[in-house]
Amino acid sequence: MIDLLNSGGLLTGNEHEGYRCGFVAIVGQPNVGKSTLMNHLIGQKLSITSRKAQTTRHRITGILTSESAQFVFVDTPGFQKRFRNALNQAMNKSVTSTLADVDAILFVVEAGRFGPADQAVLELLPKDRPVLLVINKVDTLADKGSLFPFIEDVAKHFNFAAIVPVSAQKGLKLDVLVAAIEPLLPESVPMFAEDQITDRNERFLASEIIREKIFRMMGEELPYVMAVEIEKFEEETLADGRELRRIYAAILVDRENQKPILIGKNGTKLKKIATDARIDMEKLFDAKVHLEVWVKVKSGWADDTRLVRQFGYE
């Protein structure tokens, strides 16, 4: 029988008898480290990160394939109730719809912190599929002895399939977490080729990389109602055989007075955003990148359901 996995397809038949494959949602309140966790699990930066809450706005899929299992991780936006516009309604819907379609759930909390916002997310979780409690940032605990009482306290709130303390940033105990997830996945042939790390295309990933650089550059100055639209994405092969991506992107803000905040004096901030984004794109795409970025005003887009859908928020 042909090994279709190694040729870019899917396996069938008995060649992977006992193999496991399934979807694993990563959920939690904003800023507990969900995106960092997924990036380190798959060994590649797919989901953008920053210290600002609500950095992730889309469901991002990351694929980890081992000899015995394929894990399809789904990083979700942090569920929150602070804003009631169409954008946040779409993000909250994304979280709840994801939970209905996965085989296991990683509920991520920050070590030493479990409050009403965490409890609100916990109450959304379905009771008919396994939930693993992932206690992140354990390396930041000043009193390591406080971890065990904290675990006992959080465990009272839900019947968790397993509890795994980790440090996503430092990659600590992620192998233990993967081992705990594997038996919870259904027996199945892999759904993706073994060298595939995401189901998202380069156009989408380019917009996410630009968004991350904006978050990191702007900090608290960042307008909350901001999006990145890839207006043109072209691929070509250069004479020397190298691949080239020509990417033209617009940063959308809600008001005219927000443009100079992103552009900076003499365009310095926008240039830095574009340069940092281009460097990351070249690493991820393994290609030379020509990137042009500008700022446009599109008032009220976050309250317009049609535009929210147009920008990929479902």
Side-chain angles (χ1 to χ4, degrees), residues 29 81 114-123:
Q29 69 160 315
K81 299 180 180 179
F114 185 85
D118 300 284
Q119 181 65 41
V121 178
L122 194 57
E123 290 171 0

Side-chain angles (χ1 to χ4, degrees), residues 100-155:
D101 298 328
V102 298
D103 302 293
I105 299 167
L106 305 185
F107 173 57
V108 185
V109 300
E110 186 173 338
R113 297 186 179 184
F114 185 85
D118 300 284
Q119 181 65 41
V121 178
L122 194 57
E123 290 171 0
L124 292 172
L125 305 185
K127 305 296 190 293
D128 61 347
R129 61 208 63 204
V131 177
L132 292 84
L133 173 63
V134 181
I135 302 174
N136 193 23
K137 306 183 184 181
V138 295
D139 56 305
T140 65
L141 280 176
D143 177 13
K144 304 302 182 186
S146 66
L147 180 60
F148 293 103
F150 176 73
I151 290 174
E152 290 180 349
D153 179 59
V154 180

Side-chain angles (χ1 to χ4, degrees), residues 3-6 9-23 63-72 103 178 181-196:
D3 187 345
L4 292 177
L5 179 61
N6 290 330
L10 303 180
L11 277 170
T12 58
N14 298 321
E15 291 199 16
H16 270 217
E17 187 174 350
Y19 196 87
R20 294 181 180 273
C21 177
F23 287 88
I63 304 160
L64 171 65
T65 302
S66 71
E67 292 183 359
S68 55
Q70 186 173 79
F71 308 79
V72 186
D103 302 293
V178 170
I181 299 168
E182 183 170 329
L184 303 177
L185 302 181
E187 290 195 12
S188 169
V189 296
M191 291 178 282
F192 300 95
E194 65 178 332
D195 59 351
Q196 189 171 346

Side-chain angles (χ1 to χ4, degrees), residues 75-250:
D75 182 19
T76 62
F79 191 92
Q80 58 85 43
K81 299 180 180 179
R82 182 179 171 191
F83 301 100
R84 288 293 184 182
N85 58 24
L87 171 61
N88 280 281
Q89 289 174 6
M91 289 193 294
N92 287 346
K93 183 180 178 182
S94 172
V95 179
T96 53
S97 64
T98 296
L99 297 179
D101 298 328
V102 298
D103 302 293
I105 299 167
L106 305 185
F107 173 57
V108 185
V109 300
E110 186 173 338
R113 297 186 179 184
F114 185 85
D118 300 284
Q119 181 65 41
V121 178
L122 194 57
E123 290 171 0
L124 292 172
L125 305 185
K127 305 296 190 293
D128 61 347
R129 61 208 63 204
V131 177
L132 292 84
L133 173 63
V134 181
I135 302 174
N136 193 23
K137 306 183 184 181
V138 295
D139 56 305
T140 65
L141 280 176
D143 177 13
K144 304 302 182 186
S146 66
L147 180 60
F148 293 103
F150 176 73
I151 290 174
E152 290 180 349
D153 179 59
V154 180
K156 297 174 184 176
H157 297 270
F158 199 90
N159 182 25
F160 295 106
I163 300 174
V164 186
V166 306
S167 169
Q169 185 66 47
K170 296 185 179 297
L172 298 177
K173 301 298 183 182
L174 297 189
D175 56 337
V176 176
L177 178 58
V178 170
I181 299 168
E182 183 170 329
L184 303 177
L185 302 181
E187 290 195 12
S188 169
V189 296
M191 291 178 282
F192 300 95
E194 65 178 332
D195 59 351
Q196 189 171 346
I197 60 171
T198 185
D199 64 348
R200 292 289 195 170
N201 60 32
E202 289 185 357
R203 187 186 189 106
F204 171 83
L205 294 173
S207 69
E208 287 291 278
I209 289 171
I210 295 169
R211 259 199 337 113
E212 179 189 56
K213 302 314 173 188
I214 296 168
F215 272 88
R216 290 180 175 271
M217 168 64 70
M218 304 306 300
E220 295 304 315
E221 290 185 283
L222 177 72
Y224 181 77
V225 181
M226 179 276 302
V228 174
E229 181 180 22
I230 303 298
E231 298 195 345
K232 188 185 295 186
F233 189 104
E234 301 173 338
E235 302 179 37
E236 63 181 88
T237 303
L238 299 174
D240 60 5
R242 290 185 301 164
E243 293 295 315
L244 171 68
R245 307 288 186 270
R246 296 187 186 275
I247 302 169
Y248 303 86

Side-chain angles (χ1 to χ4, degrees), residues 223-295:
Y224 181 77
V225 181
M226 179 276 302
V228 174
E229 181 180 22
I230 303 298
E231 298 195 345
K232 188 185 295 186
F233 189 104
E234 301 173 338
E235 302 179 37
E236 63 181 88
T237 303
L238 299 174
D240 60 5
R242 290 185 301 164
E243 293 295 315
L244 171 68
R245 307 288 186 270
R246 296 187 186 275
I247 302 169
Y248 303 86
I251 301 171
L252 306 180
V253 293
D254 193 54
R255 298 191 302 273
E256 190 68 37
N257 62 3
Q258 293 171 341
K259 285 182 66 175
I261 296 174
L262 278 165
I263 294 171
K265 186 176 180 181
N266 298 321
T268 54
K269 287 185 178 179
L270 189 60
K271 182 178 180 181
K272 173 69 171 169
I273 289 167
T275 299
D276 290 351
R278 178 184 55 77
I279 291 170
D280 273 14
M281 288 179 198
E282 290 184 336
K283 290 178 183 176
L284 184 59
F285 303 156
D286 191 23
K288 183 176 175 61
V289 172
H290 172 83
L291 175 64
E292 293 187 21
V293 180
W294 55 91
V295 183

